[in-house]
Amino acid sequence: MQVPARFEYERAQSVSHALALLDRHGPESRVIAGGHSLLPMMKLRLARPEVLIDINDLAELSFLGVEGDELVVGALVRHAQLLADPTVGRFFPIFHDAERVIADPVVRNRGTVGGSLCQADPSEDLSAAFAAVRATAVIQGPDGEREVPIREFHRGPYETAVEPGELLTRLRVPLRPGAGSAYEKVERRVGDWPVAAAGAQLRLDGGVIAEAGIGLTAVGAEHFAAPGAEEYLTGRAPGEEAFAEAGRIAAEDCNPQADQRGPVAYKRHLAGELVRRVLTRAAGRAAGRAGDRQAGE
Amino acid sequence: MTQDTSGTTTPMGFGRMHRKEDARFIRGRGTYVDDVRLPGMLHGAILRSPHAHARILSVDASAAEAYPGVRAVITGATLETLNLAWMPTLSADVQAVLATDKVRFQGQEVAFVVAEDPYTARDAVELIDVGYEPLEPVVDARRALDADAPVIRDDLEGRTGNHIFDWEAGDRAQTDAIFERAEVTVAQDMLYPRVHPAPLETCGAVADFDKVTGKLTVWCPTQAPHAHRTLYALVAGLPEHKIRVISPDIGGGFGGKVGIYPGYVCAIVGSIVTGRPVKWMEDRSENLMSTAFARDYHMRGEIAATRDGRILALRVKVVADHGAFNGTAQPTKFPAGFFGVFTGSYDIEAAHCEVTGVYTNKAPGGVAYACSFRITEAVYLVERMIDVLACELDADPAELRMRNLIRPERFPYTSPTGWEYDSGDYPRALRLALDMAGYDKLRAEQAERRRGDGPQLGIGISFFTEAVGAGPRRHMDILGLGMADGAELRVHPTGKAVLRVSCQSQGQGHETTFAQIVAAELGIPPDDVEVVHGDTDQTPFGLGTYGSRSTPVSGAATAIVARKVRERARLVAAAMLEASPQDLEWSVSETGGRWSVQGSAGHGRSIQEIAMAAHSNLELPEGVEGHLDAVTVYNPPNLTYPFGAYVCVVEVDPRTGQVKVRRFVAVDDCGVRINPMIVEGQIHGGLADGVGMALMQLMAFDEDGNHLGASFMDYLLPTALECPSWELGETVTPSPHHPIGAKGVGESATVGSPAAVVNAVLDALRPYGVRHADMPLTPANVWSALRGSPLRTDLAIT
């Protein structure tokens, strides 16, 4: 039996209560939601928080839906909820692609979107997916709310813009009519951390790419993104060669580390291959959605 | 037969029936060692070494001893005073119970804390301050014998290197001569990497030493309770009749629960020191890091053949990584297990192998994970070599195998290394497997796919022969204890029976299978037979369950003891019928077993009637004891030789290196099948094992000797999603020397399947010029192989 070191436990009743508890217990306290990253680390005694602040009762953070021209994803939305939501699937197939390959149903039933982002594991799939769709993170602290673009949210492995005493409350994702998106990963086994993964969103306009978003997982891409490849694609006609070149640029720009999932050369190769694949699928979906829209008009 | 609600039937003997033990397992009512809770019980936890190789400078346990709730801290120094710091291994070596001089692998046991609860014990472990002087570790087995390699076992007097043993089999001169004049020779280096059986239940023990009676009771998930009891008696000097080993329900063993681990000894010492029962349960990482690993054979195979594909000779050299202590579990005269059976299923004129065992700074073990005493390594070697030869000759691997299989008329067949294969029809099994797979159609699809650059198809074949059921006591013992097993059968007055056996189920379904053997012999329903096992106070002596030996040995003992009872029943029936015993004939119908006067079926008595009479006031003839019971000890005359033909179909994405197992056809011949459903379950599990080993399971070590597979985040077990729907077939060639013709099946699929998966992946890569890559064939490894440099899978990827 693996057991954590001794800790105290608090159960927050509201966001303000959670913030008060964070303030009271200071930097040695940790927020717990799904617990699928924190608890294993505690059991291995790699993490030793003195106090756990449980936010699972904060129903206000479980909102998932469209508000205006944005998709709003509460920090406490479970992976399974995101995966089951038809609106999410319609506007952002990238999230459904990603959620299908995140861990397993047991983890997805409990793990949360906010927890995934705040854990800031370099191998976390949703970080790349949100980077691809250029989400905005909403963070609440004692002095109120502030907004951080997702590409400024991650400051490095296991480090985010959420300061001690603050709480990530939700993500806002702009709806992009006509856009298509996709996510794909290579893993050694279902449920393993990715060897590498990539996500992309493409918005086409007049036969050229008006906007490209590319997210990369587990390959040491800064802020989980591939801006060089995105820039290359913008204004170009979608196609096999353009996507392959974008993959090549993304592969060159990332900085993977060797581990038991593979050597650097392989991970870099995968970054390129997967970017090529998700761009192809995203473009296909964008074309399909453009058709839907016309039919609906 | 009676119909049960699930649609299966309960046969009066062999056939499909649900497992009797499952009622408690599926209700969560099993009793595993961690379910044992005794009044006043304390809890132990082990402090383990963070270093792979380091000198211990100091151990300060004072803070742990002072921690509230701690009842004792035991260190190597404590054990030295009891002469228990070292214990004998199963391979004539010694192993540290708690380290005294040095630590020799990461995760080695250093100290043991006994406390009021497991949490306190874990917390206190962290308060023990150990001073280490790190030493250079030996990580790469291929460098262990280098002149400048650090000496790991300087505790052994006169030891100047890391060499453990050299062992050989076969005729070197004859083999070399054939190689010199052969038309074709091929050679291939290959690693069967270190893997771990990773049973769902980790190891643990509850030890209860009663100071008043002097009796020690140990609950522990051991596959060999009687051997454990005798070893405790011999090592600790406790009288054997005052030791009781109870092996309760076990959550998987696979050979990893054969040996005695330091934690067991610590729990016993903890109970003696504190006077209270002590429970110790290891966690998952401890299990993966410190208990018996499997394989770790660095092999070089060579085949000499004619140009038209007749295999003439096989030559093998092995460097065997045994870790820091030589603790492999196999019969004494077989330091490389049964690797000597490496010519496999082929009729080969000459063969020779050399195995060199070496120490490294890794956990001890080597014989585990359903390996049939290293036949897994042997089968992998020969099956991989056949495909390498097929590559060289541009031959079809199925035809090449068919050409060289031992023909049915050659049985009993004596192999060039001296094994006597009892029975088999190999071509029939291979033909069935190829037919089931639709081999020709698959090859056509493969050719089609090779014209494109999409996912490639790979078709892999493996044909295995096992030698199981160890074994004849003249040749086979473990630490001097012969490998014969006892059985006791008692039929109660109402015709219900209790069978006591020495083997110990870890999930194999013994309570059902052995009841079915009794049922078949006595004509009583299997539900009327209680099978008792796993308690040394309740069962006859025997060496336990591993090496697929339960049915070949204890199953034989069960059939024989039941036949003894049946003969006793004949005498009682004769008295009841006032007939001569010679005039009676035995029959088993749907209603049960019966002795009747020959030619007069109505004039007879059922086994239940006979049982009651045997306990009654019936006058019995001179020399006939009353009651209906018997004992026996079965000493197998030979091993049994199950075999099988496997075909695996994979798809490989050459752009990412991902492998998908699309189909797996398994034709097994384990002789007579007692409960086909249990046999199929065993095969399903073994095939999943094979997929795991071939594609994902990996315990590599970095240059500092850090274990890189010490949790299920790193050591990957296959799930249903990686496994296809297994397609099973069977042939039956009964073992001629086993009382019911059974051969054992527990390890067949684990032994046979890895080579099929690997051969399939490499078959897919054949157009790219790839001849070999070592397991596991992870996406990274496949991709690297496609670029001409497959990974070294025993070392860290850099």
Side-chain angles (χ1 to χ4, degrees), chain B residues 166 296-300 316-321 339 353-357 381:
Chain B
D166 288 311
D296 219 343
Y297 260 32
H298 297 256
M299 306 185 278
R300 178 179 181 76
V316 185
K317 275 193 177 146
V318 180
V319 173
D321 184 340
F339 188 79
C353 78
E354 291 172 84
V355 179
T356 299
L381 181 277

Side-chain angles (χ1 to χ4, degrees), chain A residues 1-3 44-45 48 186-190 192 258-263 265-266 269-270 273 276-277, chain B residues 118-119 122-123 126 282-283 285 653 655-656 658 696 700 713 716-717 721-722 779-780 783 796-798:
Chain A
M1 185 174 59
Q2 283 166 330
V3 292
L44 292 167
R45 302 200 171 196
R48 294 164 173 267
V186 170
E187 52 193 355
R188 296 178 300 178
R189 189 206 63 193
V190 166
D192 186 23
D259 61 15
Q260 289 313 93
R261 290 179 180 78
Y266 173 60
H269 161 80
L270 274 188
E273 174 65 17
R276 187 186 68 77
R277 288 185 184 193
Chain B
Y119 311 99
R122 287 273 161 161
D123 291 345
E126 297 186 338
E282 69 189 1
D283 65 29
S285 293
D653 183 340
R655 286 172 168 274
T656 62
Q658 286 167 295
M696 62 194 76
M713 287 185 283
L716 303 178
L717 302 185
L721 292 166
E722 283 77 38
W783 185 83
I797 294 175
T798 52

Side-chain angles (χ1 to χ4, degrees), chain A:
Chain A
M1 185 174 59
Q2 283 166 330
V3 292
R6 188 173 286 274
F7 62 90
E8 300 297 319
Y9 175 84
E10 298 265 20
R11 199 165 179 101
Q13 306 302 322
S14 64
V15 169
S16 54
H17 185 214
L19 293 174
L21 289 169
L22 280 169
D23 181 52
R24 187 191 316 157
H25 293 293
E28 295 308 314
S29 62
R30 286 288 298 270
V31 168
I32 186 162
H36 276 286
S37 298
L38 182 55
L39 290 180
M41 288 173 74
M42 287 170 66
K43 285 171 140 193
L44 292 167
R45 302 200 171 196
L46 298 171
R48 294 164 173 267
E50 288 172 5
V51 184
L52 283 188
I53 298 167
D54 188 333
I55 59 165
N56 280 291
D57 288 345
L58 307 192
E60 58 214 275
L61 300 187
S62 293
F63 178 80
L64 175 63
V66 172
E67 279 184 351
D69 56 358
E70 288 179 330
L71 174 73
V72 176
V73 184
L76 209 53
V77 166
R78 314 281 166 182
H79 292 292
Q81 196 184 344
L82 195 63
L83 178 55
D85 192 283
T87 306
V88 172
R90 190 162 81 246
F91 289 110
F92 298 102
I94 184 173
F95 288 128
H96 279 194
D97 288 354
E99 285 294 359
R100 266 186 216 103
V101 292
I102 290 176
D104 52 51
V106 177
V107 172
R108 292 199 293 263
N109 284 341
R110 188 80 190 146
T112 64
V113 170
S116 293
L117 293 181
C118 290
Q119 178 68 15
D121 188 304
S123 301
E124 172 51 52
D125 295 286
L126 285 188
S127 298
F130 278 104
V133 298
R134 294 193 170 83
T136 299
V138 181
I139 297 169
Q140 194 165 334
D143 305 327
E145 276 190 355
R146 63 193 182 96
E147 296 191 348
V148 177
I150 198 70
R151 294 185 180 200
E152 293 166 24
F153 182 80
H154 291 105
R155 293 180 173 168
Y158 308 103
E159 261 190 81
T160 70
V162 181
E163 302 291 343
E166 290 188 322
L167 201 61
L168 173 69
T169 55
R170 61 192 185 276
L171 284 307
R172 298 193 354 230
V173 193
L175 302 182
R176 292 179 178 82
S181 63
Y183 191 85
E184 186 169 336
K185 89 171 161 188
V186 170
E187 52 193 355
R188 296 178 300 178
R189 189 206 63 193
V190 166
D192 186 23
W193 297 106
V195 180
Q201 177 169 264
L202 286 180
R203 188 168 59 83
L204 308 180
D205 195 358
V208 297
I209 296 167
E211 192 186 354
I214 297 174
L216 282 170
T217 304
V219 288
E222 211 171 324
H223 303 300
F224 295 89
E230 291 165 346
E231 197 178 318
Y232 167 81
L233 287 171
T234 309
R236 269 175 214 276
E240 227 174 277
E241 275 176 34
F243 294 156
E245 179 60 15
R248 201 192 58 71
I249 295 168
E252 204 165 88
D253 289 351
C254 70
N255 183 26
Q257 305 292 311
D259 61 15
Q260 289 313 93
R261 290 179 180 78
V264 169
Y266 173 60
K267 292 186 176 185
R268 200 182 285 286
H269 161 80
L270 274 188
E273 174 65 17
L274 292 176
V275 163
R276 187 186 68 77
R277 288 185 184 193
V278 290
L279 285 170
T280 307
R281 272 170 59 208
R285 283 170 171 170
R289 287 197 54 201
D292 288 349
R293 199 173 40 160
Q294 277 164 8
E297 276 167 0

Side-chain angles (χ1 to χ4, degrees), chain B residues 468-691:
Chain B
V468 305
R473 60 193 297 164
R474 186 159 56 91
H475 303 300
M476 293 174 190
D477 66 86
I478 288 184
L479 289 183
L481 302 170
M483 301 184 78
D485 282 58
E488 295 175 11
L489 179 61
R490 190 185 308 160
V491 181
H492 304 311
T494 56
K496 317 291 185 190
V498 58
L499 172 77
R500 299 168 190 279
V501 286
S502 55
C503 58
Q504 167 58 7
S505 174
Q506 309 122 46
Q508 290 91 338
H510 291 171
E511 289 168 37
T512 306
T513 306
F514 287 81
Q516 288 186 268
I517 296 174
V518 172
E521 298 293 340
L522 288 187
I524 59 177
D527 286 337
D528 287 358
V529 184
E530 186 78 0
V531 177
V532 176
H533 54 119
D535 181 343
T536 56
D537 273 8
Q538 302 281 340
T539 57
F541 189 87
L543 282 208
T545 295
Y546 40 85
S548 299
R549 66 189 301 275
S550 293
T551 297
V553 185
S554 288
T558 298
I560 285 170
V561 81
R563 287 171 191 178
K564 282 188 172 182
V565 166
R566 195 170 68 202
E567 283 309 302
R568 173 88 66 84
R570 180 208 285 260
L571 302 178
V572 176
M576 294 170 79
L577 298 164
E578 297 180 351
S580 160
Q582 292 79 7
D583 293 340
L584 299 188
E585 66 182 0
W586 174 253
S587 63
V588 177
S589 69
E590 280 184 19
T591 56
R594 201 172 171 81
W595 281 113
S596 317
V597 177
Q598 274 172 29
S600 152
H603 194 40
R605 291 290 183 270
S606 73
I607 187 75
Q608 289 84 2
E609 290 167 334
I610 298 167
M612 185 58 83
H615 293 82
S616 73
N617 59 3
L618 175 75
E619 184 95 28
L620 292 171
E622 187 76 19
V624 178
E625 291 178 336
H627 301 179
L628 212 48
D629 49 29
V631 299
T632 195
V633 175
Y634 185 74
N635 175 32
N638 187 10
L639 301 174
T640 55
Y641 290 77
F643 60 91
Y646 291 174
V647 180
C648 178
V649 183
V650 300
E651 286 176 21
V652 180
D653 183 340
R655 286 172 168 274
T656 62
Q658 286 167 295
V659 175
K660 180 176 171 50
V661 179
R662 190 166 93 180
R663 289 179 63 198
F664 202 108
V665 173
V667 173
D668 273 273
D669 190 324
C670 55
V672 172
R673 295 186 175 199
I674 298 157
N675 184 329
M677 190 154 51
I678 288 181
V679 170
E680 288 161 10
Q682 299 248 38
I683 293 169
H684 284 184
L687 297 177
D689 278 337
V691 168

Side-chain angles (χ1 to χ4, degrees), chain B residues 85 125 205 224 278 281 327 445 461 551 625 729 746:
Chain B
V125 153
V278 173
M281 283 303 298
E445 184 190 341
I461 302 169
T551 297
E625 291 178 336

